[in-house]
Structure formats: structure tokens, C-alpha cells
Amino acid sequence: MKKKKVVLFFTALLVVLGLASIHTQKADAASWGAKQVFTTPKRTRGTWYYKEDGRIKKVKITAHTVNGLKLYKILKGKKADKIEDKFAADDEKSDYKLENKVSTSKLEAYTFKYRGVAGFNANGWLAGAGDGFYYVPVVRNIKGKKINALRIGEGAGNYFAYYAYKKASLAK
């Protein structure tokens, strides 16, 4: 009987600790204004391969993540100003280590159109202009065949960086 009570106690303790850790993770994202999850356009989703610095690399886009980093809708207006001021002050207090920690756990994103096609931009959280990547589905003509590709741009002006493909062999 005593053994059952001990097992029951530890089981309940594990459940409480598990629920507490889930609540803490959600509060962390919300504490920096991240409340609404961003949904990527369907045509941008999947694993894409591109060539950079002579090496084949990949980017994985799901409905709500890029390379495993959760996407949240970009903040706007007075709310964005308030959170950015708080973030800047706290980042300075942490000797500018907070920005790296926050931006490696979540990204801000918004939808935009490039030549009439819906894509999205993903920035470090509260990073401002010029610090993000643009992802837009396009069709490329390779050896006379039309191939679906992902145009990846970067910086403040969606400057072309490279094309990514569903097959690594196309990213030559």
C-alpha cells in the first residue's frame, strides 16, 4: 500500500512539472509580444536545397516554422513600439545577449507579394528592417523543363540570394 502511494506521488509530481514547463515556454514567447502564430503559404512549405559557398544546404519550412524556429505574426503600431523599447532596454542590461537568445527561439514573419505571388519574410524577433530572409515560390526553366523553385532573398530590399529546389541535385 505504501509503495502505491509513493508511485502515485511521483507520477503526480511529474505531471505537475510537465505542465509547469509547458506554461513557462508559452509565457516566454508571450512576454516579448509573440501571441499570434504565423502560417506560411502552402507553396513555400517543404525541404528545399540550395547552393551557398560551394556547399549544398537545406532549409525546411513547415506551416509554422523555418528550420525549426517558430514563426509569429509581426507586431504593429504602438504595441510594437512598446515591446521594442522594453526589449532594447533589457537587451542592453544583458550586455546584448538577450537578442541572440530570443532570435534563436522565434522569428517574426509577414506575408508579401513578389511579382504577384504570395511569399513571406522571416526576421529575427524584433530585429527591424534589413535582417531577414524572403521566401517566394517561383517556376524556373532548367534544361527546357519548368521546375518549381523557391526564390530566397535577403536584406531590407528582398535582394536575390539564391534559388532553392525540392531536389538537392538541382541546386548545382
Side-chain angles (χ1 to χ4, degrees), residues 11 14-16 20-21 31 33-34 37 46 48 60 66 68 90 95 100 109 115-116 124 126 132 142 149-150:
T11 303
L14 287 173
V15 168
V16 169
S21 71
S31 67
V37 175
W48 299 88
K60 184 176 180 183
V66 171
D90 288 350
D95 200 24
N100 289 337
R115 297 183 179 172
L126 301 174
I142 299 177
L150 189 68

PDB file of all heavy atoms in Angstrom, residues 11 14-16 20-21 31 33-34 37 46 48 60 66 68 90 95 100 109 115-116 124 126 132 142 149-150:
ATOM      1  N   THR A  11       4.302  10.179  -9.742  1.00  0.00           N
ATOM      2  CA  THR A  11       3.583  10.347 -11.003  1.00  0.00           C
ATOM      3  C   THR A  11       2.905  11.720 -11.034  1.00  0.00           C
ATOM      4  O   THR A  11       2.991  12.450 -12.029  1.00  0.00           O
ATOM      5  CB  THR A  11       2.540   9.229 -11.190  1.00  0.00           C
ATOM      6  OG1 THR A  11       3.197   7.970 -11.131  1.00  0.00           O
ATOM      7  CG2 THR A  11       1.811   9.369 -12.512  1.00  0.00           C
ATOM      8  N   LEU A  14       5.525  14.451 -11.519  1.00  0.00           N
ATOM      9  CA  LEU A  14       5.981  14.544 -12.905  1.00  0.00           C
ATOM     10  C   LEU A  14       4.958  15.255 -13.786  1.00  0.00           C
ATOM     11  O   LEU A  14       5.322  16.060 -14.650  1.00  0.00           O
ATOM     12  CB  LEU A  14       6.299  13.161 -13.471  1.00  0.00           C
ATOM     13  CG  LEU A  14       7.577  12.511 -12.947  1.00  0.00           C
ATOM     14  CD1 LEU A  14       7.693  11.080 -13.446  1.00  0.00           C
ATOM     15  CD2 LEU A  14       8.788  13.310 -13.370  1.00  0.00           C
ATOM     16  N   VAL A  15       3.694  14.974 -13.586  1.00  0.00           N
ATOM     17  CA  VAL A  15       2.641  15.630 -14.359  1.00  0.00           C
ATOM     18  C   VAL A  15       2.636  17.131 -14.076  1.00  0.00           C
ATOM     19  O   VAL A  15       2.581  17.953 -15.001  1.00  0.00           O
ATOM     20  CB  VAL A  15       1.250  15.004 -14.056  1.00  0.00           C
ATOM     21  CG1 VAL A  15       0.126  15.857 -14.630  1.00  0.00           C
ATOM     22  CG2 VAL A  15       1.187  13.591 -14.596  1.00  0.00           C
ATOM     23  N   VAL A  16       2.733  17.508 -12.810  1.00  0.00           N
ATOM     24  CA  VAL A  16       2.740  18.928 -12.443  1.00  0.00           C
ATOM     25  C   VAL A  16       3.958  19.626 -13.038  1.00  0.00           C
ATOM     26  O   VAL A  16       3.860  20.724 -13.599  1.00  0.00           O
ATOM     27  CB  VAL A  16       2.705  19.094 -10.905  1.00  0.00           C
ATOM     28  CG1 VAL A  16       2.991  20.531 -10.501  1.00  0.00           C
ATOM     29  CG2 VAL A  16       1.363  18.648 -10.370  1.00  0.00           C
ATOM     30  N   ALA A  20       3.963  22.625 -15.824  1.00  0.00           N
ATOM     31  CA  ALA A  20       4.636  23.886 -15.490  1.00  0.00           C
ATOM     32  C   ALA A  20       5.641  24.270 -16.567  1.00  0.00           C
ATOM     33  O   ALA A  20       5.769  25.436 -16.924  1.00  0.00           O
ATOM     34  CB  ALA A  20       5.322  23.775 -14.132  1.00  0.00           C
ATOM     35  N   SER A  21       6.354  23.296 -17.120  1.00  0.00           N
ATOM     36  CA  SER A  21       7.340  23.622 -18.153  1.00  0.00           C
ATOM     37  C   SER A  21       6.658  24.075 -19.436  1.00  0.00           C
ATOM     38  O   SER A  21       7.149  24.969 -20.115  1.00  0.00           O
ATOM     39  CB  SER A  21       8.264  22.432 -18.434  1.00  0.00           C
ATOM     40  OG  SER A  21       7.563  21.408 -19.106  1.00  0.00           O
ATOM     41  N   SER A  31       5.893  36.955 -23.485  1.00  0.00           N
ATOM     42  CA  SER A  31       6.476  38.090 -22.785  1.00  0.00           C
ATOM     43  C   SER A  31       7.130  39.075 -23.738  1.00  0.00           C
ATOM     44  O   SER A  31       7.330  40.227 -23.392  1.00  0.00           O
ATOM     45  CB  SER A  31       7.492  37.606 -21.749  1.00  0.00           C
ATOM     46  OG  SER A  31       8.600  37.016 -22.388  1.00  0.00           O
ATOM     47  N   GLY A  33       5.751  39.716 -26.763  1.00  0.00           N
ATOM     48  CA  GLY A  33       4.718  40.128 -27.693  1.00  0.00           C
ATOM     49  C   GLY A  33       4.315  39.075 -28.704  1.00  0.00           C
ATOM     50  O   GLY A  33       3.439  39.310 -29.516  1.00  0.00           O
ATOM     51  N   ALA A  34       4.939  37.914 -28.674  1.00  0.00           N
ATOM     52  CA  ALA A  34       4.636  36.862 -29.646  1.00  0.00           C
ATOM     53  C   ALA A  34       3.356  36.149 -29.233  1.00  0.00           C
ATOM     54  O   ALA A  34       3.385  35.276 -28.386  1.00  0.00           O
ATOM     55  CB  ALA A  34       5.797  35.876 -29.731  1.00  0.00           C
ATOM     56  N   VAL A  37       0.512  32.989 -33.952  1.00  0.00           N
ATOM     57  CA  VAL A  37       1.387  32.166 -34.784  1.00  0.00           C
ATOM     58  C   VAL A  37       1.168  32.519 -36.252  1.00  0.00           C
ATOM     59  O   VAL A  37       0.038  32.732 -36.689  1.00  0.00           O
ATOM     60  CB  VAL A  37       1.110  30.665 -34.527  1.00  0.00           C
ATOM     61  CG1 VAL A  37       1.914  29.787 -35.457  1.00  0.00           C
ATOM     62  CG2 VAL A  37       1.421  30.319 -33.083  1.00  0.00           C
ATOM     63  N   GLY A  46       8.038  22.699 -47.222  1.00  0.00           N
ATOM     64  CA  GLY A  46       8.794  21.521 -47.630  1.00  0.00           C
ATOM     65  C   GLY A  46      10.272  21.698 -47.317  1.00  0.00           C
ATOM     66  O   GLY A  46      10.692  22.679 -46.711  1.00  0.00           O
ATOM     67  N   TRP A  48      13.844  22.320 -48.901  1.00  0.00           N
ATOM     68  CA  TRP A  48      14.407  22.929 -50.098  1.00  0.00           C
ATOM     69  C   TRP A  48      15.929  22.896 -50.005  1.00  0.00           C
ATOM     70  O   TRP A  48      16.493  23.087 -48.932  1.00  0.00           O
ATOM     71  CB  TRP A  48      13.938  24.367 -50.230  1.00  0.00           C
ATOM     72  CG  TRP A  48      12.450  24.520 -50.346  1.00  0.00           C
ATOM     73  CD1 TRP A  48      11.549  24.637 -49.329  1.00  0.00           C
ATOM     74  CD2 TRP A  48      11.687  24.576 -51.548  1.00  0.00           C
ATOM     75  NE1 TRP A  48      10.278  24.770 -49.828  1.00  0.00           N
ATOM     76  CE2 TRP A  48      10.334  24.737 -51.196  1.00  0.00           C
ATOM     77  CE3 TRP A  48      12.024  24.521 -52.902  1.00  0.00           C
ATOM     78  CZ2 TRP A  48       9.324  24.838 -52.127  1.00  0.00           C
ATOM     79  CZ3 TRP A  48      11.012  24.623 -53.835  1.00  0.00           C
ATOM     80  CH2 TRP A  48       9.675  24.773 -53.451  1.00  0.00           C
ATOM     81  N   LYS A  60      14.188  24.009 -44.214  1.00  0.00           N
ATOM     82  CA  LYS A  60      12.941  23.273 -44.034  1.00  0.00           C
ATOM     83  C   LYS A  60      11.869  24.245 -43.540  1.00  0.00           C
ATOM     84  O   LYS A  60      12.026  24.881 -42.502  1.00  0.00           O
ATOM     85  CB  LYS A  60      13.118  22.139 -43.028  1.00  0.00           C
ATOM     86  CG  LYS A  60      11.876  21.301 -42.892  1.00  0.00           C
ATOM     87  CD  LYS A  60      12.088  20.116 -41.977  1.00  0.00           C
ATOM     88  CE  LYS A  60      10.811  19.311 -41.889  1.00  0.00           C
ATOM     89  NZ  LYS A  60      10.943  18.192 -40.962  1.00  0.00           N
ATOM     90  N   VAL A  66      10.464  27.824 -39.683  1.00  0.00           N
ATOM     91  CA  VAL A  66      11.547  27.802 -40.667  1.00  0.00           C
ATOM     92  C   VAL A  66      12.755  27.233 -39.933  1.00  0.00           C
ATOM     93  O   VAL A  66      13.186  27.787 -38.918  1.00  0.00           O
ATOM     94  CB  VAL A  66      11.876  29.209 -41.208  1.00  0.00           C
ATOM     95  CG1 VAL A  66      13.137  29.179 -42.053  1.00  0.00           C
ATOM     96  CG2 VAL A  66      10.722  29.757 -42.017  1.00  0.00           C
ATOM     97  N   GLY A  68      12.946  24.889 -37.913  1.00  0.00           N
ATOM     98  CA  GLY A  68      12.630  24.593 -36.520  1.00  0.00           C
ATOM     99  C   GLY A  68      12.334  25.808 -35.654  1.00  0.00           C
ATOM    100  O   GLY A  68      11.955  25.650 -34.495  1.00  0.00           O
ATOM    101  N   ASP A  90      16.125  45.810 -21.999  1.00  0.00           N
ATOM    102  CA  ASP A  90      16.530  44.546 -21.378  1.00  0.00           C
ATOM    103  C   ASP A  90      17.743  43.943 -22.077  1.00  0.00           C
ATOM    104  O   ASP A  90      18.584  43.316 -21.446  1.00  0.00           O
ATOM    105  CB  ASP A  90      15.362  43.557 -21.375  1.00  0.00           C
ATOM    106  CG  ASP A  90      14.286  43.945 -20.375  1.00  0.00           C
ATOM    107  OD1 ASP A  90      14.528  44.865 -19.562  1.00  0.00           O
ATOM    108  OD2 ASP A  90      13.199  43.339 -20.407  1.00  0.00           O
ATOM    109  N   ASP A  95      23.907  42.886 -21.555  1.00  0.00           N
ATOM    110  CA  ASP A  95      25.137  43.028 -22.343  1.00  0.00           C
ATOM    111  C   ASP A  95      24.937  42.492 -23.761  1.00  0.00           C
ATOM    112  O   ASP A  95      25.806  41.839 -24.321  1.00  0.00           O
ATOM    113  CB  ASP A  95      26.309  42.337 -21.637  1.00  0.00           C
ATOM    114  CG  ASP A  95      27.650  42.858 -22.122  1.00  0.00           C
ATOM    115  OD1 ASP A  95      27.707  43.995 -22.622  1.00  0.00           O
ATOM    116  OD2 ASP A  95      28.640  42.107 -22.011  1.00  0.00           O
ATOM    117  N   ASN A 100      20.283  37.632 -29.079  1.00  0.00           N
ATOM    118  CA  ASN A 100      20.685  36.340 -29.642  1.00  0.00           C
ATOM    119  C   ASN A 100      19.824  35.213 -29.094  1.00  0.00           C
ATOM    120  O   ASN A 100      19.405  34.325 -29.837  1.00  0.00           O
ATOM    121  CB  ASN A 100      22.159  36.054 -29.342  1.00  0.00           C
ATOM    122  CG  ASN A 100      23.075  36.938 -30.145  1.00  0.00           C
ATOM    123  OD1 ASN A 100      22.698  37.446 -31.193  1.00  0.00           O
ATOM    124  ND2 ASN A 100      24.275  37.142 -29.644  1.00  0.00           N
ATOM    125  N   ALA A 109       7.272  37.158 -38.710  1.00  0.00           N
ATOM    126  CA  ALA A 109       7.040  36.941 -40.141  1.00  0.00           C
ATOM    127  C   ALA A 109       5.815  37.707 -40.612  1.00  0.00           C
ATOM    128  O   ALA A 109       4.925  38.027 -39.836  1.00  0.00           O
ATOM    129  CB  ALA A 109       6.862  35.446 -40.406  1.00  0.00           C
ATOM    130  N   ARG A 115       6.055  39.943 -57.514  1.00  0.00           N
ATOM    131  CA  ARG A 115       5.561  39.732 -58.878  1.00  0.00           C
ATOM    132  C   ARG A 115       4.212  39.013 -58.877  1.00  0.00           C
ATOM    133  O   ARG A 115       3.970  38.096 -59.669  1.00  0.00           O
ATOM    134  CB  ARG A 115       6.583  38.980 -59.709  1.00  0.00           C
ATOM    135  CG  ARG A 115       7.865  39.764 -59.879  1.00  0.00           C
ATOM    136  CD  ARG A 115       8.850  39.075 -60.759  1.00  0.00           C
ATOM    137  NE  ARG A 115      10.048  39.906 -60.890  1.00  0.00           N
ATOM    138  CZ  ARG A 115      11.140  39.512 -61.477  1.00  0.00           C
ATOM    139  NH1 ARG A 115      11.227  38.312 -62.001  1.00  0.00           N
ATOM    140  NH2 ARG A 115      12.173  40.313 -61.543  1.00  0.00           N
ATOM    141  N   GLY A 116       3.363  39.407 -57.935  1.00  0.00           N
ATOM    142  CA  GLY A 116       2.014  38.872 -57.852  1.00  0.00           C
ATOM    143  C   GLY A 116       1.877  37.541 -57.144  1.00  0.00           C
ATOM    144  O   GLY A 116       0.784  37.009 -57.037  1.00  0.00           O
ATOM    145  N   GLY A 124      14.629  37.971 -37.462  1.00  0.00           N
ATOM    146  CA  GLY A 124      14.841  37.725 -36.046  1.00  0.00           C
ATOM    147  C   GLY A 124      13.791  38.502 -35.268  1.00  0.00           C
ATOM    148  O   GLY A 124      13.322  39.552 -35.713  1.00  0.00           O
ATOM    149  N   LEU A 126      11.867  41.025 -33.373  1.00  0.00           N
ATOM    150  CA  LEU A 126      12.038  42.451 -33.132  1.00  0.00           C
ATOM    151  C   LEU A 126      13.334  42.991 -33.728  1.00  0.00           C
ATOM    152  O   LEU A 126      13.931  43.921 -33.210  1.00  0.00           O
ATOM    153  CB  LEU A 126      11.975  42.759 -31.621  1.00  0.00           C
ATOM    154  CG  LEU A 126      10.678  42.344 -30.922  1.00  0.00           C
ATOM    155  CD1 LEU A 126      10.796  42.561 -29.422  1.00  0.00           C
ATOM    156  CD2 LEU A 126       9.480  43.090 -31.465  1.00  0.00           C
ATOM    157  N   GLY A 132      16.386  39.955 -42.492  1.00  0.00           N
ATOM    158  CA  GLY A 132      15.566  38.781 -42.688  1.00  0.00           C
ATOM    159  C   GLY A 132      15.763  38.121 -44.025  1.00  0.00           C
ATOM    160  O   GLY A 132      16.561  38.554 -44.855  1.00  0.00           O
ATOM    161  N   ILE A 142      14.703  24.969 -66.374  1.00  0.00           N
ATOM    162  CA  ILE A 142      16.011  24.306 -66.314  1.00  0.00           C
ATOM    163  C   ILE A 142      16.047  23.223 -67.381  1.00  0.00           C
ATOM    164  O   ILE A 142      15.270  22.268 -67.338  1.00  0.00           O
ATOM    165  CB  ILE A 142      16.268  23.706 -64.920  1.00  0.00           C
ATOM    166  CG1 ILE A 142      16.262  24.822 -63.870  1.00  0.00           C
ATOM    167  CG2 ILE A 142      17.581  22.947 -64.892  1.00  0.00           C
ATOM    168  CD1 ILE A 142      16.435  24.358 -62.463  1.00  0.00           C
ATOM    169  N   ALA A 149      10.561  26.159 -57.793  1.00  0.00           N
ATOM    170  CA  ALA A 149      11.718  26.567 -57.004  1.00  0.00           C
ATOM    171  C   ALA A 149      11.251  27.562 -55.947  1.00  0.00           C
ATOM    172  O   ALA A 149      10.111  28.029 -55.954  1.00  0.00           O
ATOM    173  CB  ALA A 149      12.773  27.200 -57.904  1.00  0.00           C
ATOM    174  N   LEU A 150      12.160  27.872 -55.050  1.00  0.00           N
ATOM    175  CA  LEU A 150      11.909  28.854 -54.016  1.00  0.00           C
ATOM    176  C   LEU A 150      12.957  29.941 -54.167  1.00  0.00           C
ATOM    177  O   LEU A 150      14.152  29.676 -54.080  1.00  0.00           O
ATOM    178  CB  LEU A 150      12.015  28.197 -52.633  1.00  0.00           C
ATOM    179  CG  LEU A 150      11.573  29.018 -51.444  1.00  0.00           C
ATOM    180  CD1 LEU A 150      10.058  29.235 -51.482  1.00  0.00           C
ATOM    181  CD2 LEU A 150      11.944  28.318 -50.149  1.00  0.00           C
TER     182      LEU A 150
END
